[in-house]
């Protein structure tokens, strides 16, 4: 599969971004994408599991060409009936870096205050709900000692990831596989788990409801447009700024 024929590829977070903002803006964005699928690519880049994405497709949302799920630790192809298949080639280096670390992470964080493991079937990550008032610095140190990465976003999600794996690096590998030049891409996000994607050197937009910590981290990245409008409306605003799609 290649998206080399596409003049524009939207690589977008879901919650708060593609799925956020006014209903009218969401409808305009989704309709424009569907009307222009012959020359427009769509990649979902989300912390959600593939089951969430499949349900979106089944309920009428645009079907992505690729779904990057679980904060960049899994990659799927998905059909218009919502059926999904993991891309074994793209996931192989992710799985190698994770190396079945879930039980080691559980042991290392056992008894640490402010962390509650999320009951979801992650394959190459482990995630916890975090109470910021209780969590302690030694939890981060325990993750680092395992040679893994820690990603905290929205001051509530404590994600343990394979070293060097997150939304940005995985998206770059997908774009290389699909033969998409970086200038034809617009990334979009709203929280710190989107930082690696928005700071990857690709053009992008932080939508108007982006968390302040993300905006602060993006000040050194002039290729990122900071929208004033929220969610899908912010994506439309950035597209209009690049003379793409309908007006915001």
């Amino acid at each position: 599969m290649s998206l080399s024929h596409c003049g524009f590829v939207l690589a977008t977070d879901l919650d708060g971004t593609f799925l956020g903002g006014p209903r009218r803006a969401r409808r305009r964005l989704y309709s424009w994408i569907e009307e222009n699928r012959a020359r427009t690519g769509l990649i979902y880049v989300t912390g959600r599991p593939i089951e969430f994405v499949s349900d979106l497709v089944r309920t009428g949302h645009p079907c992505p060409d690729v779904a990057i799920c679980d904060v960049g630790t899994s990659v799927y192809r998905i059909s218009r009936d919502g059926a999904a298949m993991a891309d074994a080639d793209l996931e192989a280096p992710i799985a190698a870096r994770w190396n079945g670390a879930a039980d080691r992470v559980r042991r290392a964080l056992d008894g640490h205050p402010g962390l509650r493991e999320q009951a979801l079937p992650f394959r190459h990550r482990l995630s916890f709900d975090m109470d910021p008032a209780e969590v302690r610095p030694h939890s981060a140190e325990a993750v680092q000692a395992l040679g893994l990465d820690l990603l905290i976003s929205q001051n509530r999600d404590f994600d343990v990831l394979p070293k060097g794996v997150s939304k940005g690096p995985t998206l770059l590998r997908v774009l290389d596989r699909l033969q998409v030049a970086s200038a034809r891409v617009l990334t979009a996000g709203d929280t710190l788990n989107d930082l690696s994607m928005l700071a990857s050197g690709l053009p992008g937009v932080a939508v108007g409801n982006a968390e302040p910590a993300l905006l602060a981290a993006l000040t050194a990245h002039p290729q990122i447009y900071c929208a004033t409008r929220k969610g899908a409306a912010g994506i439309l605003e950035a597209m209009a700024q690049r003379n793409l799609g309908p007006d915001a």
Side-chain angles (χ1 to χ4, degrees):
M1 178 183 179
S2 170
L3 294 181
S4 59
H5 63 284
C6 292
F8 172 60
V9 175
L10 175 64
T12 179
D13 172 58
L14 292 177
D15 295 283
T17 307
F18 194 72
L19 301 179
R23 179 179 298 179
R24 180 182 178 189
R26 283 181 274 133
R27 286 177 174 171
R28 292 183 70 196
L29 178 59
Y30 304 166
S31 295
W32 184 89
I33 289 171
E34 295 292 21
E35 291 164 2
N36 292 275
R37 287 311 289 263
R39 59 184 182 87
T40 299
L42 179 63
I43 301 174
Y44 289 162
V45 191
T46 179
R48 293 278 198 168
I50 188 59
E51 292 80 7
F52 181 85
V53 177
S54 292
D55 286 344
L56 283 181
V57 172
R58 292 188 186 107
T59 55
H61 290 77
C63 182
D65 296 285
V66 176
I68 298 172
C69 298
D70 302 315
V71 202
T73 64
S74 60
V75 185
Y76 296 88
R77 303 297 175 88
I78 187 164
S79 61
R80 290 188 176 271
D81 64 358
M85 178 177 294
D87 188 311
D89 289 340
L90 284 168
E91 285 195 358
I94 297 171
R97 292 190 181 200
W98 182 241
N99 193 26
D103 286 341
R104 297 196 301 276
V105 174
R106 291 187 181 102
R107 288 193 295 269
L109 296 178
D110 184 40
H112 284 225
L115 297 176
R116 184 178 71 255
E117 184 178 342
Q118 296 177 5
L120 291 170
F122 301 123
R123 292 183 293 126
H124 308 127
R125 73 185 256 212
L126 204 63
S127 294
F128 299 80
D129 293 321
M130 181 185 77
D131 183 341
E134 294 186 9
V135 74
R136 297 293 180 262
H138 68 283
S139 297
E141 294 165 2
V143 172
Q144 293 165 0
L146 292 173
L148 300 170
D149 283 345
L150 172 63
L151 177 62
I152 295 175
S153 60
Q154 293 184 300
N155 213 26
R156 70 183 188 200
D157 295 317
F158 186 103
D159 295 321
V160 182
L161 308 174
K163 189 72 175 177
V165 176
S166 58
K167 287 185 175 184
T170 300
L171 175 60
L172 290 174
R173 290 177 53 237
V174 168
L175 293 173
D176 181 65
R177 166 76 71 82
L178 298 180
Q179 301 176 312
V180 178
S182 60
R184 293 189 278 123
V185 178
L186 179 70
T187 59
D190 72 313
T191 72
L192 275 177
N193 76 21
D194 300 312
L195 177 60
S196 68
M197 174 173 64
L198 294 174
S200 65
L202 297 166
V205 54
V207 295
N209 50 299
E211 63 176 313
L214 175 65
L215 296 175
L218 290 173
T219 55
H221 298 277
Q223 82 279 7
I224 301 303
Y225 178 78
C226 293
T228 60
R229 301 182 186 185
K230 297 179 180 181
I235 296 175
L236 287 169
E237 182 182 332
M239 289 171 63
Q241 193 260 347
R242 290 180 58 180
N243 295 316
L244 294 165
D247 293 334

